[in-house]
Amino acid sequence: MVGKAGGGARRVRVVLLGIVLALVGGGSWIVWELRAVAAHLADGDPARGTYLQDPERADRTAAAVLDGLVVEVEAPRDDTPAPTGSEATPEPAGPATPVRWRQGGAWRPSSPLEARNTAPEPAIGALFSPGGDWDADHHCSAAVVHSPDGDLLVTAAHCVYRGGFRTNLAFVPGYRDGTAPYGVWVPTRIDVDPRWTESADPDHDVAFVQVRRPGHPGERLEDVTDAPAIRFRPRLPAPARVVGYPNDAEQPVDCYTTARADGPAQVRLDCAGVPDGTSGGPILTDGSTLIGVVGGRDGGGDAMTSYSSWFDDGTRALYARATGSP
C-alpha cells in the first residue's frame, strides 16, 4: 500500500539509505539532511496532542513559501467553473466575496470511477513545508472547515505530526500553478488526538489547525474562502466527493464515489488515481458537508482506494478542543 502523503515512502527509503551510508562513512550529506528534517519538528504537548506555533517561525515559513514557491495573485471574481461532474454552481468570488457552493440536481458518480483534474476551490488547498526537508514543495492537502472564529483547517494527522509536530507548515487555499489567490496562511495551533501522537493510530488520523495570514492582522480565513460545515458520525453509505492535490501536480483532482464503512472506525472510498499528496484532502457529501479527510488506514490508501478515519465522537471532542467549544 502506498500512503497518500507526498514523499512518505520515499522518506523511509532515504532514511534507511542514510543510515547505511553513514555507517560506511560516505553519508555525511544525508546525515545533514536528516538533521534538517529534525530541525523542523517540535515536541509540543504530545500527551494532549497540541502544539502552539512560534509566530516568528511561522512568519519565516510564509516568507519562504513566497520566496520562489508561490506568488500571491488577485482572486478570481467571476466565471469560476464548477468542478467537473459537480452539480454545484459557483457564485462570483473575490477577497471580499467568498465562493459559496450550493447543491442542485442529482448526484452522480464519476465515470469511469477515476480521479481527474478539477478547478481549484477557495476552501481547499495545498500544504507546503519549505526550509530544507524533502517536502519543500506541497506534500499534503487541507480544507477550511466552519468554526466560530473562522480560522480552522482540517487535514490528516500524519501531515502535521510524524515523530513531532511540523513547525514549517503553510496553507495555500485555492492553489494552482504556483499562485496563491487567497493568500498564504500559517498555523497558530495544531490539535491531534493523543492516540495519534502515542502510536500513530490510523483510527485517529485527523488534525485541526488554527491559522492566520502574516501581514494581515485580523483577517479571518473563512471570510475569504467560506467553509463547509462538518458532520460527525455520518450515516453510511453516502454519496461522496474526494478532493486533493497530488504532490507532483499544480491543480487538484477529484472523484465522485460512495463513502462506505470499512469496520467500526474507517471510511472507504473506491476510486482510482487519487495519488500521493492528496492526504488531508476533504471528503464531502450533500454538496458541501465535510465527513472525512484522506488518511487513516494505510496512510490514506493506495492507487485504487482512499480511506478516512471515521469522524466519530473522538473527532467531535478534538474539534471542540480546537475551537474552544463547550
Side-chain angles (χ1 to χ4, degrees):
M1 296 288 186
V2 178
K4 301 292 180 74
R10 177 170 52 124
R11 181 179 299 105
V12 172
R13 290 195 295 270
V14 172
V15 169
L16 293 175
L17 176 62
I19 292 171
V20 172
L21 290 175
L23 289 174
V24 300
S28 60
W29 69 273
I30 200 71
V31 172
W32 177 89
E33 193 72 27
L34 291 173
R35 289 174 179 169
V37 173
H40 295 292
L41 295 177
D43 291 337
D45 182 352
R48 183 170 169 79
T50 299
Y51 172 65
L52 300 178
Q53 174 69 299
D54 174 68
E56 292 185 2
R57 177 175 280 181
D59 288 350
R60 290 195 299 269
T61 296
V65 169
L66 291 167
D67 184 20
L69 293 177
V70 168
V71 176
E72 289 186 320
V73 298
E74 185 175 353
R77 290 183 176 274
D78 55 15
D79 299 327
T80 303
T84 303
S86 172
E87 295 74 38
T89 302
E91 297 176 353
T97 311
V99 165
R100 288 177 170 83
W101 295 88
R102 57 180 181 268
Q103 188 170 4
W107 174 89
R108 60 184 184 274
S110 299
S111 182
L113 203 59
E114 184 174 354
R116 48 192 165 182
N117 291 341
T118 188
E121 300 166 49
I124 302 170
L127 284 176
F128 288 75
S129 288
D133 66 17
W134 298 298
D135 288 330
D137 206 348
H138 58 87
H139 59 89
C140 271
S141 305
V144 189
V145 62
H146 178 64
S147 66
D149 291 334
D151 63 351
L152 197 65
L153 305 179
V154 64
T155 187
H158 72 256
C159 291
V160 302
Y161 185 97
R162 284 189 175 184
F165 288 94
R166 284 182 182 261
T167 63
N168 59 336
L169 284 170
F171 175 65
V172 182
Y175 175 77
R176 182 170 187 173
D177 295 328
T179 62
Y182 305 96
V184 175
W185 301 74
V186 293
T188 59
R189 171 175 168 149
I190 301 173
D191 284 282
V192 300
D193 193 293
R195 287 167 286 193
W196 178 265
T197 59
E198 180 181 356
S199 62
D201 186 338
D203 293 344
H204 302 281
D205 193 4
V206 182
F208 292 101
V209 183
Q210 295 176 16
V211 295
R212 63 178 176 86
R213 186 180 181 188
H216 296 260
E219 186 170 53
R220 298 186 348 146
L221 176 60
E222 197 170 330
D223 292 339
V224 176
T225 64
D226 201 25
I230 190 169
R231 179 180 298 168
F232 303 103
R233 302 200 67 81
R235 181 174 295 178
L236 300 177
R241 175 178 174 234
V242 57
V243 193
Y245 281 81
N247 64 1
D248 60 354
E250 295 299 286
Q251 69 181 91
V253 298
D254 75 349
C255 183
Y256 289 78
T257 181
T258 300
R260 306 180 186 277
D262 195 317
Q266 296 285 318
V267 176
R268 174 180 177 137
L269 302 101
D270 292 314
C271 181
V274 184
D276 284 0
T278 55
S279 279
I283 296 166
L284 302 163
T285 192
D286 296 338
S288 60
T289 302
L290 184 86
I291 61 169
V293 294
V294 178
R297 182 171 298 159
D298 299 324
D302 57 24
M304 302 301 294
T305 303
S306 296
Y307 291 97
S308 169
S309 302
W310 196 306
F311 278 16
D312 58 8
D313 291 340
T315 311
R316 188 197 304 272
L318 185 64
Y319 174 85
R321 167 151 63 91
T323 59
S325 303

